[in-house]
Amino acid sequence: MTSDLRAVWYSLVLDERRFPPRAVLDESGRQQPRTVILQGGGQSCQRLGFSIQETTDYGRPIAVVLETGLQSPDEGPVLDPDWPSVLRTELPFWNGCEQEDTCVPDLVLHSHSDLMDVQQFCSSRDRAAWTLCSHQGESEGPVYVVETGRRRMVVFSRLENQGENAYGAAIHISTSSNLLFSSLIVKDQSDIQIECYAEDRLANQRSCNISAPFMKSLSQVSFRVEFEFSRSVFLDHVQVVMATSSEGEEGYPDDNINDIFLPLKYQADIVFTRDPNTPRFEIRADSSSSSSSSSWDQSESSSPTFNLTYYIQNPGIFSVQDVVFRADIWAVTRRGNQLVNITDYSIERVSGSHCMLPQTRTTNQVTAEDLSHLSQLNHSNGVSESVRCRLDLPASRELKVTLRGRLQLPALLAVSFKSLELLTAASIQLEASSPMFLQEDRPVRQIILELRKDEDYIIPVWIILGSSLGGLLLLALLVLALWKLGFFNRRRRQEEEEQPVANGKAAEEL
């Protein structure tokens, strides 16, 4: 530049390719470009201050661009073309580490879930008698319980940095398909913020950035991650893998990953009830059907029918598969008289369930039998016929199971009774291999089928003979007791005393 140069302009830009820039001049309000007056053969030096804004990128330096030019390029002297008019440089950040090029952080991650294992679940006295608790020693490893009404699982975590500053620290979370990420909440009002976003739009993966520029040495942050149980995917376990990383060279990478794998048992919230209306029948005697031995057809359409109805409700959020329903109807006497039989079934409001009915006898022999001494036909004095069903219970649904039966009139007319109850005991249970368990191992619901018979009973001969002999024996004992007490001797003395008196009166009259 020649000695006659009077005025030069310059423009200073920080982080020209970033918006917003990470640094701004302290006098940002002054107009740019700015003008400086130079004397021939002299120089001018100006000190410009700038401030760093809050940023997460402290790893890359701030670019500084200085451009200069003449205030009046068409008048007066010109600039030396050998000197550049644009100057570019960089202002790096100090990473706070011993080696300026790389940091050596030591991130340590601790995590645990809020699910109880079986031992913790069964420590309550109220649950000591539950099925799961009575068999808790049979499992090979720890099993965790999802209680009734639980919708979420929480993982409590703590991240520590026991090494140098950790730039670009992040946490990566992946889960099994039955867990849905809900939220991540930092605890204890920490200055460190954690922001999560979905990774490649996968519902079971999240990446969470430590929003501070770096995680300082010897700092820590505690947080909780909430997951919701999926309503469409059901598994016998949950898995949460949490891994932390940074841009530095990790000193001990083994403690950067927590793999939480928990085998599960779900508490099934099933309500099992029966129809409160008890079937009652009155059977009228028919002399034409009272033969002691005959052959008959079970499909006789004129016989009365009845229904046994049960309700199984699942108010929970998980479907319950392969519920074993069993109904035992004590319908056969010890002599083989089948009083009723189950002919059909129906399962309402749900599909995918089925039942197996008892095998139908082609012919049955009816035999005269006295049941008048029985009030109820049950497991102690009869033979049962069983109906077995496999049921699938969708979440928040109720299932209705109806067993249809028919009275067997030939057998009912052949046996003797006045009032007889037929016991039906129905139960539900889950297989031992099921990931679910019931509070009660095998809840039972009973229905009583009441039968009354309107007929004249023939008193057996042995009852008449026994009653007569008992009466004579009682009379003999009474006479013997009176004799022992002297009742008959007092009677004889009274007669002897009355006889002389009667003789004296007769003599006086003469």
Side-chain angles (χ1 to χ4, degrees):
M1 186 184 301
T2 63
S3 59
D4 294 333
L5 182 62
R6 296 294 182 181
V8 176
W9 62 266
Y10 71 93
S11 176
L12 183 66
V13 179
L14 303 175
D15 256 358
E16 62 176 342
R17 295 183 179 180
R18 297 180 67 120
F19 183 82
R22 292 172 293 172
V24 295
L25 293 172
D26 292 342
E27 298 179 356
S28 57
R30 289 181 57 183
Q31 183 179 2
Q32 290 207 54
R34 304 181 184 186
T35 303
V36 60
I37 304 299
L38 295 179
Q39 299 292 335
Q43 64 180 1
S44 175
C45 181
Q46 292 188 1
R47 184 180 183 88
L48 300 177
F50 65 92
S51 301
I52 303 296
Q53 307 296 312
E54 292 185 3
T55 177
T56 59
D57 186 6
Y58 275 63
R60 297 178 179 84
I62 294 176
V64 180
V65 179
L66 178 65
E67 185 178 0
T68 63
L70 292 174
Q71 187 74 23
S72 301
D74 297 333
E75 300 178 2
V78 297
L79 293 176
D80 189 342
D82 294 333
W83 286 87
S85 61
V86 178
L87 177 64
R88 296 180 182 274
T89 188
E90 293 180 341
L91 299 177
F93 293 98
W94 178 55
N95 57 18
C97 304
E98 294 182 1
Q99 298 181 0
E100 294 186 359
D101 294 336
T102 59
C103 293
V104 183
D106 182 15
L107 299 177
V108 181
L109 184 63
H110 307 274
S111 302
H112 68 277
S113 77
D114 67 334
L115 297 181
M116 292 186 292
D117 60 21
V118 173
Q119 185 176 0
Q120 293 171 326
F121 180 80
C122 295
S123 60
S124 172
R125 292 183 180 179
D126 299 337
R127 301 168 180 162
W130 289 20
T131 307
L132 179 68
C133 300
S134 59
H135 298 87
Q136 61 175 310
E138 299 178 2
S139 58
E140 296 180 357
V143 177
Y144 293 79
V145 179
V146 179
E147 312 97 297
T148 298
R150 176 183 279 271
R151 302 293 187 267
R152 295 188 174 192
M153 185 186 83
V154 179
V155 174
F156 299 97
S157 301
R158 185 177 77 255
L159 178 63
E160 303 178 21
N161 182 13
Q162 299 178 359
E164 296 179 337
N165 294 341
Y167 287 86
I171 301 170
H172 307 280
I173 304 172
S174 61
T175 67
S176 51
S177 56
N178 60 336
L179 289 179
L180 303 176
F181 179 87
S182 177
S183 63
L184 186 149
I185 302 173
V186 177
K187 298 175 60 179
D188 303 330
Q189 298 180 347
S190 174
D191 294 334
I192 300 177
Q193 301 298 318
I194 303 178
E195 299 176 350
C196 298
Y197 60 91
E199 189 169 310
D200 297 331
R201 297 184 178 180
L202 296 178
N204 61 336
Q205 292 186 7
R206 286 289 189 281
S207 289
C208 304
N209 293 330
I210 306 297
S211 60
F214 54 86
M215 190 172 183
K216 297 179 181 179
S217 175
L218 303 180
S219 65
Q220 67 177 20
V221 58
S222 297
F223 57 94
R224 53 182 287 167
V225 188
E226 295 184 355
F227 303 93
E228 290 186 2
F229 285 102
S230 171
R231 294 177 180 244
S232 58
V233 180
F234 181 83
L235 300 176
D236 61 356
H237 67 276
V238 291
Q239 186 173 20
V240 178
V241 179
M242 303 181 67
T244 181
S245 63
S246 69
E247 297 175 356
E249 297 179 0
E250 187 68 24
Y252 300 94
D254 293 341
D255 51 17
N256 287 24
I257 299 178
N258 290 166
D259 188 351
I260 302 175
F261 183 89
L262 306 178
L264 298 181
K265 279 286 188 180
Y266 297 82
Q267 181 184 352
D269 186 14
I270 296 180
V271 181
F272 182 34
T273 57
R274 64 170 179 85
D275 190 342
N277 298 321
T278 302
R280 295 179 176 87
F281 293 94
E282 184 174 346
I283 302 170
R284 299 186 180 278
D286 185 0
S287 59
S288 63
S289 304
S290 59
S291 58
S292 61
S293 178
S294 63
S295 179
W296 50 279
D297 183 5
Q298 280 191 338
S299 63
E300 184 181 357
S301 59
S302 61
S303 298
T305 60
F306 61 90
N307 291 336
L308 304 174
T309 304
Y310 303 90
Y311 301 93
I312 307 173
Q313 184 181 6
N314 177 19
I317 66 171
F318 303 113
S319 296
V320 184
Q321 306 293 323
D322 294 331
V323 179
V324 179
F325 171 89
R326 173 170 177 163
D328 290 305
I329 303 97
W330 277 271
V332 183
T333 67
R334 286 185 174 178
R335 290 193 179 183
N337 289 309
Q338 184 169 355
L339 306 183
V340 300
N341 72 318
I342 302 300
T343 59
D344 197 5
Y345 73 91
S346 66
I347 303 175
E348 295 183 7
R349 303 174 188 166
V350 73
S351 59
S353 302
H354 63 279
C355 296
M356 294 182 59
L357 297 176
Q359 292 184 352
T360 304
R361 303 179 184 181
T362 55
T363 58
N364 285 312
Q365 199 72 17
V366 176
T367 306
E369 188 175 0
D370 183 15
L371 302 180
S372 59
H373 61 288
L374 299 179
S375 61
Q376 186 181 89
L377 201 62
N378 51 43
H379 64 278
S380 64
N381 50 34
V383 180
S384 68
E385 292 204 335
S386 299
V387 178
R388 292 179 61 89
C389 304
R390 287 269 180 180
L391 309 176
D392 292 339
L393 302 179
S396 304
R397 295 281 298 276
E398 182 183 69
L399 181 148
K400 178 182 177 182
V401 179
T402 301
L403 305 180
R404 300 186 181 93
R406 186 180 298 276
L407 300 186
Q408 302 304 315
L409 290 180
L412 289 169
L413 294 173
V415 299
S416 298
F417 66 91
K418 185 175 182 182
S419 177
L420 184 63
E421 295 179 348
L422 302 186
L423 176 64
T424 299
S427 63
I428 59 172
Q429 64 181 123
L430 298 173
E431 300 288 355
S433 59
S434 173
M436 293 192 166
F437 67 94
L438 298 174
Q439 177 175 339
E440 185 180 355
D441 185 20
R442 190 172 173 267
V444 177
R445 303 294 180 262
Q446 295 182 349
I447 295 180
I448 303 296
L449 179 63
E450 296 184 6
L451 302 176
R452 294 184 180 276
K453 201 170 186 181
D454 182 17
E455 65 178 8
D456 295 331
Y457 288 92
I458 300 174
I459 301 177
V461 176
W462 65 269
I463 295 181
I464 299 175
L465 294 177
S467 300
S468 301
L469 292 175
L472 293 175
L473 180 60
L474 181 61
L475 180 59
L477 291 175
L478 181 59
V479 172
L480 179 60
L482 292 175
W483 181 74
K484 287 289 187 180
L485 293 174
F487 178 79
F488 297 105
N489 293 333
R490 288 196 302 270
R491 184 72 177 177
R492 189 179 299 111
R493 282 197 298 269
Q494 290 177 358
E495 291 178 353
E496 291 176 352
E497 291 175 354
E498 290 176 356
Q499 186 174 2
V501 173
N503 293 335
K505 289 182 178 180
E508 288 177 357
E509 290 178 356
L510 293 175

